[in-house]
Amino acid sequence: MTNELNSWGILDKITAIVTDSGANIKSAIRLMNIQHIPCTAHKLNLVVQQALYLSEDDSVGEESHELHDSGKIKLILKKCRVIVGFFKRSEVGNRILGEKQTQLGFTQLLKLKQDVRTRWNSTLIMLERLVKLKEPLTVTMISVKEAPSNLTPEEWVIIEDIVPLLRPFNSLTIELSAEQYPTISKVVPLLRGN
């Protein structure tokens, strides 16, 4: 990196470098004697992933009878993935879900969305879609014998509470992840809500 920056004639003009917090890149920047600034979007992503227990290394005692809220969230997300996975694989379940949407007056037939653990915003998309399809999904799951257990009323309430909490983080992530223009000047106003 030093050679490349020297070839451009800008090494002495650089005061800081913004990157994710990978140990290798932080070490390289430290060897260059340049200040490292962690990427806010990356930090935000890590915070939300940890809050949703999307990281594999965060374990919650599932055998405990009284799980704390974050443990409940982890179990609810697991249950949501099982439900979505079932409808991704079941032709019968998908057909009946479509029929129930039509009967309930949906103008556009929607499919469930599967999340990807490395992208927390895909978990938000999965939860938003589940909430949109709550009524036809519930009726369908009662109709299909092979369907997994549906979410309890308490679990639906938790999901419906999580979705609006995650939306601002999604907006911040999108705004701070731009590639065509610098975003560092937006960090403080966005985090303060200005």
Side-chain angles (χ1 to χ4, degrees):
M1 283 176 45
T2 304
N3 290 340
E4 195 64 33
L5 295 173
N6 269 330
S7 72
W8 291 3
I10 60 171
L11 180 62
D12 59 333
K13 298 175 184 174
I14 296 175
T15 57
I17 296 178
V18 178
T19 71
D20 66 17
S21 294
N24 58 343
I25 195 73
K26 285 171 43 179
S27 178
I29 293 168
R30 188 176 27 247
L31 290 172
M32 295 170 60
N33 290 321
I34 297 175
Q35 181 182 0
H36 175 257
I37 299 174
C39 173
T40 304
H42 186 259
K43 289 289 188 187
L44 189 63
N45 182 45
L46 294 175
V47 166
V48 177
Q49 277 190 355
Q50 185 146 16
L52 292 175
Y53 280 87
L54 297 176
S55 313
E56 288 297 327
D57 50 323
D58 292 327
S59 58
V60 175
E62 293 182 20
E63 56 279 343
S64 171
H65 287 30
E66 287 198 36
L67 292 170
H68 55 295
D69 289 341
S70 54
K72 284 182 186 176
I73 292 170
K74 184 174 185 174
L75 292 177
I76 290 168
L77 291 176
K78 186 176 182 179
K79 200 169 179 180
C80 290
R81 289 183 192 106
V82 168
I83 291 168
V84 172
F86 170 77
F87 281 94
K88 290 282 184 197
R89 291 184 307 276
S90 172
E91 171 62 36
V92 173
N94 248 333
R95 183 177 40 77
I96 294 172
L97 181 60
E99 290 169 3
K100 298 302 177 194
Q101 288 179 63
T102 302
Q103 289 171 3
L104 291 167
F106 279 60
T107 55
Q108 179 184 12
L109 295 184
L110 302 173
K111 293 196 179 274
L112 293 173
K113 300 279 188 174
Q114 185 72 61
D115 72 337
V116 179
R117 288 179 188 222
T118 56
R119 304 229 180 260
W120 73 265
N121 52 350
S122 70
T123 302
L124 170 61
I125 292 166
M126 176 182 72
L127 295 176
E128 286 176 326
R129 185 56 59 92
L130 282 165
V131 169
K132 281 182 184 174
L133 292 174
K134 178 181 176 180
E135 192 175 353
L137 183 64
T138 301
V139 174
T140 301
M141 290 181 72
I142 292 168
S143 306
V144 179
K145 288 183 183 179
E146 310 84 36
S149 300
N150 197 3
L151 297 160
T152 66
E154 179 190 9
E155 291 168 335
W156 278 113
V157 168
I158 291 170
I159 290 172
E160 289 166 350
D161 287 345
I162 289 172
V163 167
L165 291 173
L166 290 178
R167 283 187 183 134
F169 289 99
N170 190 44
S171 297
L172 280 171
T173 301
I174 291 168
E175 190 68 29
L176 292 173
S177 298
E179 293 182 9
Q180 302 300 316
Y181 55 88
T183 59
I184 196 162
S185 63
K186 294 182 172 197
V187 171
V188 174
L190 285 171
L191 292 179
R192 288 189 175 177
N194 297 343

